[in-house]
Amino acid sequence: MSSIELKNVEGGAAGTVELSSDVFGIEPNVPVMHQVVVAYEASMRQGTHATKNRHNVSGGGKKPYRQKGTGRARQGSTRAGQWTGGGVIFGPQPHSHALRANNKMKKLAMRSALSGKLADGELIVIDELSFEQPSAKKAAAIIKALGLEGKRVTLVVPDDDVVTYLAFRNLPKVTIIGTSEANTRFILDNAAIIMSAAVAKQLEEVLA
């Protein structure tokens, strides 16, 4: 087990919490993390870019001039690629950019990312994070109390905690995601990651 200081919303110490060494205490596998992040970002590409080839552009039905006797190279259409206004040769066409990463790799990458964050002191576990009603002012005060004001922060909350999501969603440089949305890219792409002890235990159950 890995022990980490538990903090409260005022930024003070609230004891310690034991985290699984199998999830938060492994040697980070950098190549797997890189491969999984690349696969994730590639899958986010829409792949809708397209150009028109000589069959799609309008015009060009008539042969521009006779085949022989002009001294120029023979041409069959003014919409061939070498003509101004012609089609694009070998241009991009809609297709999927998705790359494959299996579940074993994804879990290893997430465990590596969480372990790296803990080792670098960029993982903050708080005892409880709850709002009676959305309050951006209170949310900003929590970020400031934790010493993260002005830094890029990722906050992981339970999927059904809508009130907390509404409180933090408009804060600059703060990305808030549900537990089911947590992935290697979101864990790594920040200066610190915040989660409650309950969320940390939930991630342990998923990644164990």
Side-chain angles (χ1 to χ4, degrees):
M1 301 294 285
S2 300
S3 180
I4 184 176
E5 182 184 37
L6 192 64
K7 293 189 176 183
N8 54 33
V9 292
E10 288 80 26
T16 59
V17 61
E18 297 292 331
L19 301 177
S20 172
S21 297
D22 294 333
V23 176
F24 292 90
I26 69 171
E27 180 69 25
N29 192 319
V30 177
V32 170
M33 285 193 290
H34 176 265
Q35 188 171 347
V36 169
V37 170
V38 168
Y40 172 81
E41 293 188 336
S43 299
M44 292 297 102
R45 296 183 64 179
Q46 290 183 326
T48 55
H49 42 17
T51 55
K52 292 183 178 181
N53 58 28
R54 64 184 297 171
H55 303 292
N56 302 128
V57 293
S58 61
K62 179 183 178 182
K63 188 175 175 68
Y65 45 80
R66 60 196 177 97
Q67 180 84 346
K68 294 180 179 294
T70 65
R72 292 178 289 179
R74 56 192 178 187
Q75 301 290 335
S77 170
T78 57
R79 291 299 174 258
Q82 70 271 20
W83 285 76
T84 300
V88 178
I89 302 172
F90 300 133
Q93 293 297 316
H95 68 282
S96 172
H97 292 273
L99 300 175
R100 183 174 179 272
N102 60 43
N103 288 334
K104 187 176 180 180
M105 292 173 60
K106 292 177 183 177
K107 287 186 176 182
L108 175 57
M110 283 191 65
R111 291 197 301 268
S112 297
L114 291 169
S115 298
K117 284 293 182 181
L118 178 58
D120 294 339
E122 296 178 352
L123 173 65
I124 298 176
V125 181
I126 57 179
D127 54 355
E128 186 180 6
L129 186 63
S130 60
F131 290 78
E132 294 181 358
Q133 59 183 8
S135 173
K137 183 177 180 180
K138 182 180 176 181
I142 293 174
I143 296 296
K144 184 176 181 180
L146 294 173
L148 300 174
E149 188 176 20
K151 297 181 179 180
R152 296 179 62 223
V153 177
T154 297
L155 176 65
V156 187
V157 300
D159 292 328
D160 57 354
D161 194 352
V162 179
V163 179
T164 301
Y165 172 81
L166 294 176
F168 281 90
R169 66 175 178 172
N170 288 329
L171 296 186
K173 296 187 178 182
V174 175
T175 301
I176 181 168
I177 59 174
T179 310
S180 62
E181 297 177 281
N183 59 49
T184 305
R185 181 183 178 277
F186 283 133
I187 293 172
L188 292 174
D189 191 23
N190 52 64
I193 182 168
I194 306 172
M195 64 182 69
S196 67
V199 169
K201 294 300 181 183
Q202 189 175 352
L203 289 176
E204 286 180 355
E205 294 176 1
V206 174
L207 300 175

